Amino acid sequence: MSKPTISVTLTTNPKPRPDEKKLVFGKYYSDHMFIMDYDAGQGWHDPRVVPYQNISLDPAAKVFHYGQTIFEGLKAYRTNDNRIVLFRPDQNWDRLNRSNDRLSIPAVDPEVAMEALRTLIKVDHEWVPSEPGTSLYIRPFVIATEPQLGVAPSTKYMFMILLCPVGAYYAEGLNPVPIHVESEYVRAVKGGVGNAKTGGNYAASLKAQEGASELGYSQVLWLDGVHRKYIEEVGSMNVFFKVNGTVITPALNGSILDGITRKSVLQLLRSWDVPVEERQISIDELVEAHRNGTLEEAFGTGTAAVISPVGALHYNNEKLVINNNKTGDLSSRVYDTITGIQSAVLPDPFGWVLEV
Amino acid sequence: MSKPTISVTLTTNPKPRPDEKKLVFGKYYSDHMFIMDYDAGQGWHDPRVVPYQNISLDPAAKVFHYGQTIFEGLKAYRTNDNRIVLFRPDQNWDRLNRSNDRLSIPAVDPEVAMEALRTLIKVDHEWVPSEPGTSLYIRPFVIATEPQLGVAPSTKYMFMILLCPVGAYYAEGLNPVPIHVESEYVRAVKGGVGNAKTGGNYAASLKAQEGASELGYSQVLWLDGVHRKYIEEVGSMNVFFKVNGTVITPALNGSILDGITRKSVLQLLRSWDVPVEERQISIDELVEAHRNGTLEEAFGTGTAAVISPVGALHYNNEKLVINNNKTGDLSSRVYDTITGIQSAVLPDPFGWVLEV
Ligand SMILES: Cc1ncc(COP(=O)(O)O)c(C=O)c1O
Ligand SMILES: Cc1ncc(COP(=O)(O)O)c(C=O)c1O
């Protein structure tokens, strides 16, 4: 099924579009959505764009009980010359299928997924916002729908794509955030599902996130589940530290997500001849670097915020302030370059941007 | 809300009931189900028994994306004198709320849950099967329903209860099963959600279970995620080993489930003056005990099977056969006693059984 015919049913009842100046993350959905069904023996079938609507499922559907579900997240941008472009969607289909494999979900043909996304965005093109900093967040996901309570992979699935217009992450430019280093809860461990984009990882993170918020920190810095000392991620972002001129990020070790922003930042830094290291890095090493004045910058990377500077780390009742709680020069340069490429304001030397 | 009024809407279209001799696990659902909604600010509201039916949810509901969901499992039995009894339901409501807490889901009042279950079972009392070995499997669960893609606890939930008549787990009596000791995949780690009954743990187990099945083993024996050598659980059961007359089960360490069958087996063994130990036990200790002939019995415990004897352990390309692949005397005695108490064939010295 690599040249699918996607049926399109248009809404007769279009919604009012939200004020582009007041967009928030994950709240507004466009007029249509994409659905495709899977049945064992038949494979994926009936790809279709339909009006955005509730879905009706048996309460015994496996997704409600056994968390057999995966998702992706990417963005489309409206360019100054009014084209609509996507950032590295091939990477998302690739990761979608790695997540599918880990969760025993049948693969989705990347060509079908891409054609589905193109068709949906064309139908809802008016939902791609144009205010500076805004974008269209795209949420592909798969859920297990077989109504059977045995613990075993489902024989039925739905693959869907939703579209949400979202606002600028930083209304007033890049803003460093304070982060709590989590020492009680663990997000994921090697051998588990930490490197898959699956619901369980996010469910496991809620409690720690609530605790950090209560202490006044906006996110959690996760440590590894084995030694409880190596840096994993920050919230749902990958994390980078600039120490004495070298940029260090945790290596892909099986328990962190292979972020597409992470990958792009690494490629960019290498193209600038900034020394980068992908390796284990312990919280002790960071504390030591802070102590001797070489912890120069820290930032998270992810599709939602692109770059999120870290202004301080709270660890063991100590608060390590980074770069005077200001956004570092390298963080800014990375942010400006990637967002510039994403919105086609800057040239695209890496071939990252795809027109819809 | 501790004396709820539960509204009841009866089906006008009752289903044919399945042949009690051909029941399988988790496939047939009774005519009705229980639902109660939660909205932030309002709490749990509108408890109701309604005809079994699909539920309609926004595709952005958090359960589809972030796995914010928990469940329980317990059974009702029809006694010889035609009463309907439950096994330790208070323990399930207790664990439900511990799971809720870990997943940042608001607590459900145990009295409301109990009244909901009583009401539902009374309405569907004809669905409690009476063939020897059959029972009514009960599935309470909570799902997060707010349509919001931010990673944060939901502000809306549904608590539901489904009923499934299920067959005897062992059509021809207790049957030892061969188990694969998993050394690649990990189910859960301390600091994670392994001690909560939440979807993500089961999603994480599917791939290992598939691998074990391909090798001809019926379940996986999970090792701990830190040292990769201490025994955790077997499939979705707790696990016990009889070594040289002493019964050993892994201590509740934060990454295994606090099983109600486990708890009941421990209480029973102690009442019989069988030496029991709840402690760390390594796979090496078991291999050594097998070598010197002191690994006498092994069995899993859980609501579905009650007791599941382990006939062999497959570890590092070696196959350790236990008790000649026969069900051990102690395993049988525990099985007969617990199932006898559950169905009110035997007296109930511990006050475990509750009439509906
Ligand atoms: C757990 C986690 N880590 C890292 C990331 C960053 O990945 P990406 O850059 O592909 O958005 C995400 C997703 O945004 C995530 O959910
Ligand atoms: C992971 C896991 N471990 C152990 C058990 C056993 O718990 P219980 O005896 O309460 O059924 C279950 C549930 O059946 C389970 O899902």
Side-chain angles (χ1 to χ4, degrees), chain A residues 26 63 69 139 199 202 206, chain B residues 57-69 143-157:
Chain A
V63 62
T69 169
R139 171 55 59 92
Y202 301 82
L206 297 172
Chain B
L57 291 176
D58 193 298
K62 284 185 196 264
V63 62
F64 297 135
H65 303 270
Y66 304 131
Q68 202 191 1
T69 169
I143 56 175
T145 56
E146 185 193 5
Q148 219 296 345
L149 293 184
V151 180
S154 183
T155 58
K156 292 172 185 286
Y157 300 88

Side-chain angles (χ1 to χ4, degrees), chain B residues 229 231 281-289 291 315-316:
Chain B
K229 68 176 192 184
I231 308 296
I281 176 166
S282 71
I283 182 70
D284 302 327
E285 181 178 345
L286 290 180
V287 170
E288 180 55 27
R291 196 162 290 149
Y315 179 58
N316 272 351

Side-chain angles (χ1 to χ4, degrees), chain B residues 315-326:
Chain B
Y315 179 58
N316 272 351
N317 297 318
E318 233 190 304
K319 192 164 171 175
L320 318 180
V321 175
I322 301 171
N323 196 35
N324 277 319
N325 198 25
K326 298 265 173 308

Side-chain angles (χ1 to χ4, degrees), chain B residues 168-185:
Chain B
Y169 210 83
Y170 304 103
E172 305 145 45
L174 280 187
N175 232 339
V177 291
I179 302 285
H180 174 69
V181 182
E182 178 60 48
S183 37
E184 182 179 358
Y185 296 112

Side-chain angles (χ1 to χ4, degrees), chain B residues 95 187 197 202 233 236-238 257 259-261 301-303:
Chain B
R95 189 170 64 188
R187 191 191 87 96
K197 215 162 157 69
Y202 300 82
E233 310 196 30
S236 16
M237 292 186 282
N238 296 111
L257 197 75
I260 294 160
T261 319
T301 67
T303 294

